[in-house]
């Protein structure tokens, strides 16, 4: 079970999955669609080379992106079951305020991050 506000977006037969936070509000009117917080669960290679993510590995990775180029956290697990617990953990810490997503930004976006704080707190 995912933390409140998180939804399964896609799950592939190979076991890869994508979960997103509040897709109902990241619609370009209230919040910028490219800023949709997204957690990827994959057993693909983490190498930066083009196409390397399509190569399966013996490890599972859970990665939280705040935007396409803003990675907030990435953790590696030995198997998919442990990685699923990792997905649950990162989504819970995100909504619980225990994850420093502001620190992931090299260029501060204070107005947006203040609004994200309000959304997470339910204000």
């Amino acid at each position: 079970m995912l933390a409140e506000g998180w939804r399964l977006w896609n799950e592939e037969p190979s076991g890869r999955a994508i979960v997103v936070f509040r897709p109902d509000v990241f619609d370009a009117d209230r919040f910028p669609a490219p800023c949709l917080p997204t957690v990827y669960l994959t057993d693909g290679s983490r190498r930066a080379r083009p196409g390397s993510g399509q190569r399966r590995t013996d490890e599972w990775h859970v990665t939280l992106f705040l935007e396409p180029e803003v990675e907030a956290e990435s953790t590696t697990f030995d198997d998919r079951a442990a990685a699923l617990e990792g997905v649950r953990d990162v989504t819970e810490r995100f909504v619980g305020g225990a994850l420093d997503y502001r620190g992931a930004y090299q260029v501060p976006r204070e107005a947006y991050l203040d609004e994200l704080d309000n959304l997470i707190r339910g204000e």
Side-chain angles (χ1 to χ4, degrees):
M1 178 151 204
L2 298 170
E4 186 175 340
W6 287 89
R7 304 286 176 263
L8 179 64
W9 192 260
N10 184 45
E11 187 169 19
E12 297 177 2
S14 64
R16 295 177 184 185
I18 300 170
V19 297
V20 296
F21 181 70
R22 296 290 311 270
D24 59 314
V25 298
F26 284 86
D27 58 7
D29 290 331
R30 293 179 60 194
F31 286 90
C35 295
L36 176 68
T38 306
V39 175
Y40 290 90
L41 168 66
T42 181
D43 62 345
S45 173
R46 300 258 314 143
R47 299 181 82 190
R49 301 182 75 182
S52 63
Q54 301 302 315
R55 295 184 182 184
R56 297 178 88 162
T57 67
D58 292 332
E59 300 174 325
W60 285 86
H61 310 281
V62 174
T63 307
L64 168 64
F65 287 96
L66 302 173
E67 296 181 31
E69 299 297 323
V70 181
E71 184 178 310
E73 181 170 311
S74 184
T75 308
T76 301
F77 298 90
D78 292 332
D79 58 51
R80 188 173 190 272
L84 285 171
E85 287 298 319
V87 170
R88 185 180 350 266
D89 176 64
V90 75
T91 62
E92 288 175 357
R93 287 186 298 116
F94 182 87
V95 298
L99 197 143
D100 177 25
Y101 51 82
R102 287 176 177 264
Y105 282 87
Q106 292 180 355
V107 177
R109 298 184 57 187
E110 295 303 323
Y112 164 71
L113 293 171
D114 289 345
E115 289 297 317
L116 182 60
D117 290 342
N118 291 337
L119 176 65
I120 291 171
R121 289 193 302 261
E123 297 174 7

